[in-house]
Amino acid sequence: MKFLTISLIVHAPDPTTGVQASANERFRQVVDAAVLAEELGFDGFGVGERHERPFISSSPTVVLSHIAAKTSRIKLFTAVTTLSLLDPVRAYEDYATLDHLSGGRLELIIGKGNGSAQRELFHVTPEDQWERNAEAYELFRQIWRQDKVTATPKFRPALTDAEVWPRPFQQPIRVWHGSATSKESVDLAARYGDPLFSANVTNPIEPYAELVRYYRERWAFHGHDPAKAAVGAGSAGFYAAATSQEALRAYAPVFAGHLAMHKRLGIEPVFPTLEDFVTRSSALIGSPQQILEKVKRYHEQFGHTVMHIQAEPSGLSAAEHRASLERFQAEIAPVLRREIPDPPWDWDARPDAEAAAALPHADPTADARAAFVADAAPAISVTGPSADASAAPATDATAAAAGTIAASAADPAAGQPSSPWPPHLVPSRQGA
């Protein structure tokens, strides 16, 4: 089993202290949470995408790019990418760039998103949101896999032999489909043979288990190997302590703060007491043994092989939260890793740069290549790729021209750059 921590980047008063951090501080906290997750041995870190209060997660690619620079191993997830609100061409450009910056550590969880305010912001209606989500995913998927795309979508301008750059580092990227209460996302995931990630947060287990069963039925209907189906699941809260009594004492003010917020918003809580929340929700609050038993009960219903827990204290002290995560990795995760299988693929496999460069991609014309170099460095005259450049497959215009530029940029006698390009922009002889 694999374990993620996630943040939706809520920007609201702390449920226990009532203190609200600045937006700047909240972003720093999220980055620190990702670094901590890698330090403690978690397998992934996810950032949500919301375009309405109280969230400030409207630019997950920017946040994840910064996290990519601060980490080296951990997988980076979106939780979720709201494709129903986005232009799939721009979404592809952002995520393909992030794919490169992270060295192929990116995985997407996509969904239509929740909230009427963000729908209104992007002029999406309840009637067309599912159609938009499916169309955006199908076009996003096509762009990721093909160097040139021709399509006539309903919700954005048509594409004719369109090239969208950069080409991705991973081919293909793994895309999960976030599922909360409806069958549309489940159908889309099963149709394309993609994994499913159940929200598993707001309600008791029954509606989520029903959707997971439906996913497996539709997976088989579409002719996929049942052994290849993969499910992830969220959790509504997390705090692990030495004993259940200690865990309940520490979490009681956190739950009281969330309950008060629900009342202020006029929302009837699904779980009105802490005892009900711990018993009937997916929250993992208690001793290590209690948490293990609960995860196993959920696994009996879901068959899930990936699980997420909260990345941030959310009302606990920083020390309590860290101690809880450390306890999870020391006493809970090792048991679950032994007893519950991993997803049916090599989690740690990533393409290396050399393999990614060797992927076949469309080669732009010589005129386009020459125009690019002439525009970037007018003093360099280029009539075509050098022998070095043509010997290695090109992944984009800069790689195709790399041999010519490098030959012009270096003086063999002096060993110093003679090009008008700044030294740090001169491509190497090895190409991209």
Side-chain angles (χ1 to χ4, degrees), residues 114-414:
N114 295 314
S116 58
Q118 64 181 12
R119 280 201 312 266
E120 293 169 5
L121 185 64
F122 290 92
H123 298 279
V124 174
T125 69
E127 293 73 28
D128 68 18
Q129 60 183 352
W130 286 112
E131 188 180 3
R132 285 176 179 271
N133 185 64
E135 178 185 283
Y137 175 57
E138 289 159 1
L139 186 53
F140 181 95
R141 178 186 175 93
Q142 187 178 1
I143 295 170
W144 198 283
R145 286 163 169 77
Q146 299 176 18
D147 289 326
K148 292 186 177 182
V149 173
T150 296
T152 310
K154 179 178 178 181
F155 297 106
R156 63 145 287 126
L159 302 174
T160 303
D161 283 338
E163 297 179 352
V164 190
W165 301 95
R167 299 313 301 151
F169 190 65
Q170 298 182 82
Q171 190 59 273
I173 191 172
R174 183 166 295 109
V175 177
W176 301 69
H177 296 251
S179 167
T181 59
S182 57
K183 292 183 176 181
E184 284 85 352
S185 288
V186 175
D187 272 318
L188 196 63
R191 184 194 320 163
Y192 284 104
D194 293 333
L196 183 76
F197 214 111
S198 174
N200 191 38
V201 169
T202 308
N203 297 300
I205 190 172
E206 290 79 11
Y208 302 117
E210 181 181 349
L211 284 173
V212 170
R213 287 192 292 271
Y214 179 72
Y215 166 69
R216 295 187 187 279
E217 291 170 4
R218 298 302 295 171
W219 178 277
F221 173 83
H222 287 290
H224 305 302
D225 181 354
K228 300 296 185 182
V231 174
S235 57
F238 172 71
Y239 184 64
T243 66
S244 60
Q245 294 83 0
E246 182 184 341
L248 289 173
R249 278 197 304 270
Y251 205 82
V254 178
F255 181 79
H258 286 298
L259 200 63
M261 182 183 69
H262 277 74
K263 290 180 178 178
R264 286 195 302 271
L265 297 173
I267 300 173
E268 187 69 25
V270 177
F271 309 104
T273 68
L274 176 58
E275 291 72 19
D276 189 41
F277 181 62
V278 172
T279 302
R280 292 198 306 124
S281 84
S282 61
L284 304 175
I285 299 166
S287 68
Q289 187 58 39
Q290 287 175 312
I291 290 174
L292 283 167
E293 291 171 358
K294 191 168 194 177
V295 172
K296 291 175 185 178
R297 288 200 306 272
Y298 270 73
H299 178 72
E300 289 175 359
Q301 296 290 318
F302 293 165
H304 62 307
T305 53
V306 179
M307 183 180 76
H308 82 56
I309 61 177
Q310 291 180 347
E312 299 174 283
S314 187
L316 297 166
S317 71
E320 287 174 325
H321 180 61
R322 180 177 181 123
S324 179
L325 293 177
E326 289 175 341
R327 190 181 299 276
F328 180 89
Q329 288 291 14
E331 302 179 43
I332 299 170
V335 177
L336 295 176
R337 291 187 194 277
R338 286 196 306 268
E339 298 186 9
I340 296 177
D342 286 345
W345 57 75
D346 184 352
W347 182 273
D348 297 317
R350 299 210 307 264
D352 58 38
E354 183 176 345
L359 290 172
H361 294 304
D363 181 24
T365 65
D367 288 344
R369 183 164 52 239
F372 172 85
V373 177
D375 180 63
I380 301 175
S381 174
V382 178
T383 57
S386 71
D388 285 347
S390 60
T395 57
D396 58 21
T398 52
T404 302
I405 298 168
S408 302
D411 179 352

Side-chain angles (χ1 to χ4, degrees), residues 47-49 57-62 64-65 76-83 86 88-102 106-110 140 144 166 168-170 173:
V47 170
E49 180 183 345
S57 50
S58 56
S59 298
T61 51
V62 177
L64 287 171
S65 291
L76 305 178
F77 282 76
T78 60
V80 301
T81 297
T82 53
L83 275 183
L86 306 177
V89 175
R90 282 295 293 124
Y92 165 82
E93 291 173 333
D94 286 344
Y95 283 110
T97 301
L98 174 55
D99 187 37
H100 282 279
L101 293 175
S102 67
L106 176 64
E107 297 202 14
L108 299 181
I109 307 175
I110 68 164
F140 181 95
W144 198 283
F169 190 65
Q170 298 182 82
I173 191 172

